[in-house]
Each structure stands twice: as C-alpha cells, then as structure tokens.
Amino acid sequence: MSDLHKLPDELQLATAAHVKYIQGLDTKKDQYEYWLTEHLRMNGLYWGLTALHLLRHPDALPRDETIDFVLSCQHENGGFGAAPGHDAHMLSTVSAVQILALVDGLDELDRRGKGKATTGKFMADLQNPETGTFAGDEWGEEDTRFLYGALNALSLLGLLNLVDLDKAVEHIVACANFDGGYGLTPGAESHSGQIFTCLAALTIAGRMDTVDVDKLGRWLSERQLPNGGLNGRPEKDEDVCYSWWVLSSLAMIDRIHWIDRDALIKFILRCQDTELGGISDRPGNMVDVWHTLFGLTGLSHLGYPGLDTIDPVYCLPKSTLDRVLGTQR
Amino acid sequence: MASAGGSHGIARTARRRTDEQRQQDLDRIAKYRGLEDQIREQAKAHDYASPALFDLTTRLLRLNPEYYTTAAWVMALEGVAEYISERHYETAFRRLLALVLGCDPARPKVPATYEEWAEWYNNHDESTKILEDAGAGRNSKNVANDASVLQSELAFTIPLLIEFPKCYWIWNHRSYILSLCIELLPVSLAREVWTAELGLVTKMLTKDRRNFHAWSYRRRVVARLESDVLDGKSMAEQEFMYTTKMVNQDLSNFSAWHNRSQLAPRVLDERKADHVARKVFMEAELNLAREALNVGPDDQSLWYYHQFLMSQILPEYKCGARSWSRIAPDLTLEERTDYVKREIEEIRDLLEDYKDVKWIYEALLEYSIALDGMCKDKGTTRPKQELTEEAQTWLETLRQLDPLRKGRWDDFAQTG
C-alpha cells in the first residue's frame, strides 16, 4: 500500500460522509423504496451498524433504540422477523443476534426477550435431521446460507450443541467441486458466495481440514480482474460485494496476499459516493448499505488505515468477537 | 450476513426529488401501506379462502414480490390450497389472472373457461386415461379444476419472474405449486406440467446463459422428471446433448461446461461403458476442450473444463480420501502419464500462436510438475523438487503477464 498516500482526495475514504449516510437511512420514511425494503430492515440495521463500528463510530446509532427495535421483532417461537409484523425467519434472526452481540446486548434476550435458549431453539429446529442442511423458515428452501447463518448465531449464543454439526459438515463436503470451490447444492458450480458460507461454517465447526486450500486459493485469486475489482465466478463482471465473499474466503485460508491489495483498494474507493456517502457495486452506480458494508469490510481485510478489523468468519468486528467468544478462539 | 440486499447496476443519479416526485412517492407509500394494513386486518379473521384477501395479496405481491411474510406469499399459498377442488376459481382466479396477467405481453396463454381447459387436455393422447385415473371421489371436473387453479398460479409467477428473476420467494412459491401438481394431478398431466417447466428453464437459459439459479433449478426439474413419481427415466443423455448445444452456441459458458462435467460420468455409467469406451470418451472431450482453446485461449471457462478433465487423470485431485476420477477411473499409471504428456505437448503448441496468454503457462507449469511427480512417485504424492529450467522460464513469464497475483507466484516459487 506504499502509494496510497499519493491518491487524490476522491480516492480517500470518505468516513464522515459514510457515517452520515448510514445515520440517514432510517429517516427516509417518505421514500417508497424505504417501505418496499421493510422485509430487510433487520438485516439493514445489522449492515449499517457493523459498518459504523468499522468506521469507528459505534455510537452513531442510539443503543437503547436499537435494542428496543430488535426485541420488538421477536416472536413467541424465539425467531425474529425483519420488522414488527413480519414473520420470523432465519436470516433476520441471525442479524438480530449479531446486532445484540455488536451492542453488547445479548443478555437482553433473557432479560426482556424470549430468552437465548428459545432463540437458539428456533434456529436449531430448522435443521433437517436427515441431511444436516437448514431451512430459512417453516416453509422455505434449504440453502448453505441458512446453514452458515445458524452456525454463526448459535455459536455467538454458545448454543452450537443444539445442532448436529457432523451432518452439517457432511452436507458442505458434498457441495465441494474439483476446483476446490463450493456450489449452492451438491453438483452445482462453484460460486464465491457459497464458498464463503461453506468455509465460514467449516471454520465454526472446526473442520477446515476438509478444504483443498491450494486449489481453492487459486480459484479465488483468479476472481480479481484487471480493473482491481473481484468477480463471483469465471467470466463475470466485478462487484464490490465480492470484496467480502472472495476476500474473507481468502482470509480464512490465509491467502489474501494472492491478489493485488492496492488495485482492489482503489477499485473499492472509486465506488464511493464521496459527497453523500455510501458505496455502490461499481463506480458511478447507486449506493446502498449492503455494498457500503462490504466495501468497508474489504478495505478492513486489506488493512486500510482508520478502520477496525473485521472478522472473516462472523462478519463482525474482531473486538466484538473477542468480547463475546473470548480471545482464545 | 444475509441475502443479497443491494442494488446492482443502477446508475447513480441525483438523490434530491422535486416536490412533485416527493408527492408521488407519498401517494405510492399510502397505497402500499394501505394494502398491507388491509391484509393484516383481513388475516386476523384467518379466513384465507376469502377472495378479497387473495386479491389483496396478489396486488401486494405485484408491487413487491420480495415480501416474504405470512401476509403475502404464505397466504397466497394457503389461498391456493383453499381453492383446490373448490368451485371458487371462477371468481377469485379470474380476477387474479386479470390483475396479474392482463398487463403483461409475455403472459402465456391461459385457458379462460372450463371448456377451454377440457379442450386443452383433450389434445393429450392419454386424456381418457387421465379422466379414468382421477380416482375415487375425484371426478373429472375436480381434476380439471385443480389443473386450472394450479396452472393459473404457475402463470401468476411468470411475469413476476421475468421482472424479478432472482427473487427467491417467487421460485419457492412456484416449487410448492409444482409439488402440488404431483400430489393432486394424474401422473401424465403432472408430467405435462413439469415438462413445460423444463421448457421454461430452457427459455430462461437462452436469455441468461450463466444464471446459476436457473442451472440449479434445471437440475432439480430434471431430477423430478426422472423420478418414479412422474414415471420418469434417466435424461442424462438428453441433458448431456443440451450442454453440447449450449457450448456450441457460446464456448464461454462455464455453467454449461460445469453441467457437462457433472453429467459425463453418469452418461458413461448408463452406457455401461467399458475401459476402452471410457478412454475414447475422455479423448473426445479433451479434443473438444483443446479445439475450443485454440479459438479462445483467454477463456477461463474452457481452461476450467480442461482442468476438470485433467482432474480425472491426475492423482493429486482428491477431495479428502475421495478421488474425483469418475470418467475413466481404471486408467493405469502409464495411460495417465501418456495423457498428461500429450496434453503438455498440445498446450505447448498453443504458444506458437499465443505468446502472452497466462493460462497457457499456468497449465504447462501445473501439468509438467504433476507429470514429474507421477514419473518419480508412481502416482501418489508429488515430491518437493527444483523446477526444471523450462518451468523456471514459464514461471518468470507468468510473473510478468500476471502481476495482480504476484504473491501467489512468489509462494509458488518457494514451495514448488
């Protein structure tokens, strides 16, 4: 990163603008889009809050209101909906647990919520005992995203014992391909998003021994394109979100140095809206909180100055995990 | 971490709205939230069969198919369940179709009346049998009604899928309706529906050749069509031919190559291919990959398929204790060595026309090191060793051609 200080102003991290952008997300109630995305409210809060923590502005959203909102979305069965009145779902439950971990509020589950045990049971019950996979809700399709999400949140709650880890690992191994990557299901082509969820789940389960590190590292490193950005699969376009999926995967197998850091940093910085804040998928496109978080996690993985360290497995600041899980991990 | 929530590929525009635009937004919000409120109100009565509720959820889903909660998809789903073998479809479903399909030019032709349905399936050879198979307590009119309801609901999702091809909930709902077809319709009619579904996937893959959800979905649809519940048999040969067609149209289609790699071992097993036949097959595939590489040596898709074929030959490709080798698992070490040698020579020939394609050097390095290991170690593990002089020059060229991955080449130089 030797030449980073020589970058022009528009290629510096616009921290203040990003903080303001995230703070402003919940004031857009007069915009149609705000209501159309209500089913992502819990996820959005998690994305925004994690981004603020990385930007070292952890108090930019009020803690009490955050906890109140999260708890207002919990159902009797322990699961969380995306917003009050929305059904409980695995993804919003995982986000809820992550948010509470971020603000040091996991104990509020027992104090004011339905309890850690009930929350954990909601997720554990979504495991298919035959195949080891997880569903998203009582109706939903199974997907390694849910498997990973469940392992992530259950380990934060200290309740991994509720699920059959061996079966879950068995399923992930069945999704592996000859190129070292993982697909959506057994037999599906390797995809960076699935590789991330599978590797992170394997890390939590303590089974990285099943990974073909060299082949996977090679495949992942080929995701970097001449413009510095990363793509998700061969012969596809770059996108800032792969600064999370690909880079975290490389981090978990200790191969981040197999891509060009400076080139990726510049690509991510070019995707900023330096005036109004936020980061987009590609330079010049509409920003959103999802790409904002994953641009920042990418920069954090690359050691960009002024950002807190992100954990490649949990997508939470390392300091949060040290507090919740202890430093001996 | 959660599902994709971002906006992709939408140009950044000024975020300030005019007063008029703001008012328009407010009107839309009022309408949208009004719908939500009405649905929640109606849902309290748990009368999911009410045509009014069904109508409301349909309108909400038109506005926002990502709406996953009970109030929408799940109710639409329960709504459908209520209509199965009921006579309400004349009212609720016609209204639904008018609402949803009436505005979409891409809509499929949905029969409008019972007579049209009867005609639709009278055109099928086995129609008489279908009516006889309808079983105890289920007369032909009920079956026709079920078919009508289910077909309408499948049609409901099509314009939504065209607009929101990656929306998980639409696919989920569609899968549920398709599973109901198997449960409720006579086998031959259900098979018709599922065959039409394969046609839909084919159409989608014509529009977006790399959509991995669509490829995954294709494998699922095929698996159902092959299964006993639909009186099916293996479609491996036919699907293998489909991948041939797809890669002939566009060599740079990794998804098609990938599916081909999955189907190849099955095709050989089903042909009961002996060792010789398997070798012939392997050689034909290697030729196909190499001919394609001659045209497009920059194409990663082709190199991955070539690598897949080599993974069937090189002993170092393993997943845990499991070997990937399924195309010709009984190759002798000598046969394997001969293949690798020939591939190295063929790839080396590419250098005559293409001097600055990094993939060529990468392949040469990988395969020549693997070959050394096979010669010295009888096909088990590769001993650490010095690179040959020629391999050194390939590595040097790679460093120059591929500076982005400098760290990888540094590690490579150290560990071999």
Side-chain angles (χ1 to χ4, degrees):
Chain A
M1 265 168 294
S2 48
D3 62 342
L4 281 179
H5 63 279
K6 284 183 254 163
L7 292 175
D9 279 356
E10 65 268 25
L11 282 186
Q12 301 294 339
L13 183 64
T15 302
H18 296 323
V19 171
K20 217 170 152 195
Y21 164 73
I22 294 165
Q23 283 177 317
L25 286 172
D26 209 46
T27 62
K28 297 190 163 68
K29 293 182 181 163
D30 64 344
Q31 291 181 17
Y32 188 49
E33 192 61 26
Y34 178 92
W35 297 101
L36 283 189
T37 54
E38 195 178 43
H39 64 282
L40 291 172
R41 196 68 76 234
M42 185 72 81
N43 305 126
L45 179 56
Y46 155 70
W47 296 325
L49 198 59
T50 307
L52 288 171
H53 278 251
L54 291 181
L55 289 163
R56 298 184 173 160
H57 284 70
D59 302 322
L61 293 181
R63 180 176 185 273
D64 291 349
E65 278 174 45
T66 299
I67 295 175
D68 289 348
F69 170 78
V70 170
L71 294 178
S72 75
C73 299
Q74 193 168 28
H75 291 249
E76 284 301 323
N77 63 9
F80 288 78
H86 285 247
D87 276 7
H89 191 275
M90 172 72 85
L91 294 178
S92 35
T93 304
V94 174
S95 286
V97 171
Q98 286 176 302
I99 293 167
L100 293 175
L102 264 173
V103 301
D104 197 7
L106 281 173
D107 291 342
E108 299 290 331
L109 279 173
D110 285 330
R111 205 167 300 142
R112 290 195 285 144
K114 311 292 171 213
K116 282 183 192 169
T118 320
T119 309
K121 188 173 182 305
F122 170 78
M123 292 186 279
D125 284 351
L126 289 168
Q127 186 176 31
N128 179 333
E130 303 288 313
T131 62
T133 54
F134 283 77
D137 57 26
E138 58 180 309
W139 311 94
E141 200 73 46
E142 291 160 359
D143 186 323
T144 49
R145 280 185 307 152
F146 306 142
L147 190 159
Y148 158 69
L151 263 49
N152 179 330
L154 284 167
S155 67
L156 291 175
L157 293 171
L159 293 171
L160 268 184
N161 58 316
L162 294 182
V163 296
D164 187 339
L165 276 184
D166 290 343
K167 276 267 189 233
V169 170
E170 220 171 275
H171 175 73
I172 295 174
V173 169
C175 294
N177 286 315
F178 84 95
D179 52 26
Y182 297 83
L184 189 67
T185 52
E189 70 180 282
S190 297
H191 182 285
S192 307
Q194 302 302 324
I195 291 173
F196 164 77
T197 55
C198 290
L199 282 189
L202 288 174
T203 308
I204 294 171
R207 291 302 308 278
M208 285 297 275
D209 59 297
T210 57
V211 179
D212 188 340
V213 170
D214 279 340
K215 299 232 160 34
L216 179 57
R218 175 169 151 187
W219 191 93
L220 288 167
S221 73
E222 294 300 346
R223 306 284 57 81
Q224 190 166 36
L225 299 175
N227 63 15
L230 304 172
N231 67 10
R233 285 181 291 157
E235 307 292 339
K236 299 286 279 184
D237 290 335
E238 70 286 354
D239 184 319
V240 156
C241 66
Y242 295 113
S243 311
W244 172 251
W245 312 114
V246 174
L247 219 45
S248 294
S249 302
L250 282 169
M252 284 184 267
I253 58 171
D254 198 18
R255 295 287 187 283
I256 283 197
H257 63 290
W258 279 17
I259 58 144
D260 188 312
R261 301 161 79 115
D262 286 6
L264 180 54
I265 287 176
K266 283 179 200 162
F267 172 77
I268 297 172
L269 291 175
R270 277 203 304 275
C271 295
Q272 298 180 103
D273 183 335
T274 48
E275 189 196 342
L276 297 172
I279 299 175
S280 53
D281 58 345
R282 270 175 222 134
N285 282 351
M286 281 289 278
V287 304
D288 60 74
V289 63
W290 196 68
H291 284 96
T292 303
L293 172 63
F294 291 150
L296 293 173
T297 60
L299 292 173
S300 171
H301 272 319
L302 297 169
Y304 190 89
L307 289 172
D308 259 11
T309 308
I310 188 80
D311 182 276
V313 178
Y314 288 86
C315 202
L316 286 170
K318 197 178 161 296
S319 53
T320 301
L321 287 159
D322 289 347
R323 172 165 45 73
V324 176
L325 298 179
T327 46
Q328 81 288 352
R329 282 183 299 127
Chain B
M1 289 311 326
S3 61
S7 50
H8 287 89
I10 303 161
R12 199 176 292 165
T13 48
R15 281 185 241 167
R16 289 181 186 87
R17 292 169 293 173
T18 62
D19 286 347
E20 197 185 339
Q21 281 168 333
R22 183 165 185 278
Q23 192 51 53
Q24 275 172 4
D25 260 8
L26 291 176
D27 293 345
R28 288 166 86 193
I29 292 169
K31 199 175 141 199
Y32 179 78
R33 300 198 68 198
L35 264 178
E36 271 189 294
D37 289 345
Q38 285 181 63
I39 288 170
R40 288 198 181 124
E41 199 49 47
Q42 293 250 356
K44 278 185 195 155
H46 294 286
D47 180 12
Y48 296 137
S50 122
L53 181 60
F54 199 72
D55 180 40
L56 290 167
T57 58
T58 305
R59 281 161 61 195
L60 186 76
L61 290 174
R62 255 323 268 166
L63 293 175
N64 188 4
E66 293 282 359
Y67 207 108
Y68 73 89
T69 221
T70 321
W73 279 118
V74 175
M75 275 189 214
L77 202 140
E78 301 214 356
V80 171
E82 294 289 339
Y83 286 109
I84 299 296
S85 295
E86 295 291 331
R87 304 298 157 90
H88 303 299
Y89 76 98
E90 290 284 5
T91 50
F93 272 83
R94 292 287 80 78
R95 211 176 314 157
L96 165 72
L97 289 174
L99 261 168
V100 174
L101 300 175
C103 52
D104 198 291
R107 70 184 192 269
K109 171 93 179 81
V110 177
T113 59
Y114 174 70
E115 282 68 30
E116 278 184 35
W117 269 108
E119 195 192 347
W120 179 80
Y121 84 49
N122 273 334
N123 289 332
H124 297 287
D125 294 334
E126 290 182 308
S127 59
T128 333
K129 192 170 172 298
I130 291 167
L131 295 174
E132 284 164 9
D133 281 355
R138 296 179 70 79
N139 61 33
S140 62
K141 188 144 188 181
N142 274 351
V143 172
N145 183 36
D146 288 354
S148 163
V149 168
L150 294 166
Q151 288 278 0
S152 303
E153 196 61 10
L154 288 173
F156 165 58
T157 61
I158 284 183
L160 294 176
L161 282 173
I162 290 169
E163 209 177 328
F164 307 93
K166 290 184 180 167
C167 177
Y168 167 76
W169 303 104
I170 310 176
W171 285 111
N172 199 27
H173 186 64
R174 200 171 169 88
S175 294
Y176 173 73
I177 300 297
L178 283 163
S179 69
L180 281 183
C181 287
I182 293 179
E183 216 173 286
L184 296 168
L185 302 181
V187 174
S188 45
L189 191 51
R191 199 170 167 81
E192 290 288 336
V193 174
W194 278 82
T195 306
E197 195 65 7
L198 188 60
L200 175 78
V201 187
T202 302
K203 230 177 232 167
M204 283 171 43
L205 286 174
T206 313
K207 284 180 76 175
D208 183 0
R209 293 168 186 175
R210 293 293 307 283
N211 184 329
F212 77 99
H213 287 295
W215 279 100
S216 251
Y217 191 59
R218 183 177 189 95
R219 285 186 286 269
R220 273 170 49 200
V221 171
V222 167
R224 276 301 178 96
L225 279 168
E226 288 175 326
S227 69
D228 289 345
V229 288
L230 288 176
D231 274 353
K233 58 180 191 331
S234 170
M235 293 166 69
E237 289 282 356
Q238 162 184 350
E239 285 299 291
F240 188 73
M241 271 163 60
Y242 176 72
T243 67
T244 312
K245 191 179 130 206
M246 290 300 274
V247 296
N248 281 340
Q249 274 171 15
D250 173 15
L251 286 176
S252 182
N253 187 338
F254 178 67
S255 307
W257 288 111
H258 171 82
N259 218 31
R260 191 175 183 83
S261 75
Q262 298 294 307
L263 289 160
R266 266 188 71 194
V267 164
L268 288 166
D269 289 349
E270 286 173 16
R271 288 179 191 167
K272 300 197 171 35
D274 60 11
H275 185 62
V276 176
R278 285 171 180 271
K279 282 186 69 175
V280 170
F281 183 93
M282 175 69 99
E283 281 156 32
E285 290 302 296
L286 282 167
N287 286 338
L288 178 67
R290 243 186 295 99
E291 276 163 29
L293 283 170
N294 260 315
V295 186
D298 272 322
D299 194 320
Q300 281 190 61
S301 312
L302 305 177
W303 284 109
Y304 278 115
Y305 190 64
H306 192 266
Q307 217 178 75
F308 160 74
L309 295 171
M310 294 302 279
S311 77
Q312 305 293 303
I313 298 169
L314 300 174
E316 62 177 33
Y317 275 86
K318 281 201 173 108
C319 178
R322 166 165 66 109
S323 164
W324 289 108
S325 183
R326 287 182 60 208
I327 289 187
D330 299 330
L331 289 176
T332 63
L333 180 59
E334 200 185 347
E335 285 169 323
R336 290 175 197 268
T337 319
D338 286 346
Y339 276 129
V340 180
K341 279 182 185 157
R342 204 185 77 181
E343 287 313 299
I344 291 175
E345 283 322 303
E346 297 274 0
I347 294 169
R348 203 196 297 264
D349 285 350
L350 284 175
L351 284 177
E352 284 174 23
D353 294 320
Y354 308 101
K355 291 235 178 310
D356 53 0
V357 174
K358 72 153 192 159
W359 305 103
I360 300 177
Y361 300 96
E362 216 182 302
L364 285 173
L365 260 184
E366 182 189 0
Y367 301 154
S368 58
I369 290 172
L371 181 65
D372 276 0
M374 287 163 76
C375 293
K376 287 186 184 147
D377 221 54
K378 304 235 184 307
T380 51
T381 51
R382 190 176 85 219
K384 276 197 176 177
Q385 60 200 314
E386 295 290 307
L387 291 179
T388 62
E389 207 168 299
E390 192 181 29
Q392 286 285 1
T393 63
W394 290 334
L395 182 58
E396 266 328 295
T397 315
L398 262 178
R399 283 177 188 277
Q400 283 161 27
L401 291 175
D402 193 23
L404 285 178
R405 279 156 283 271
K406 181 181 174 296
R408 191 172 129 204
W409 305 125
D410 286 348
D411 282 5
F412 190 88
Q414 283 188 5
T415 55

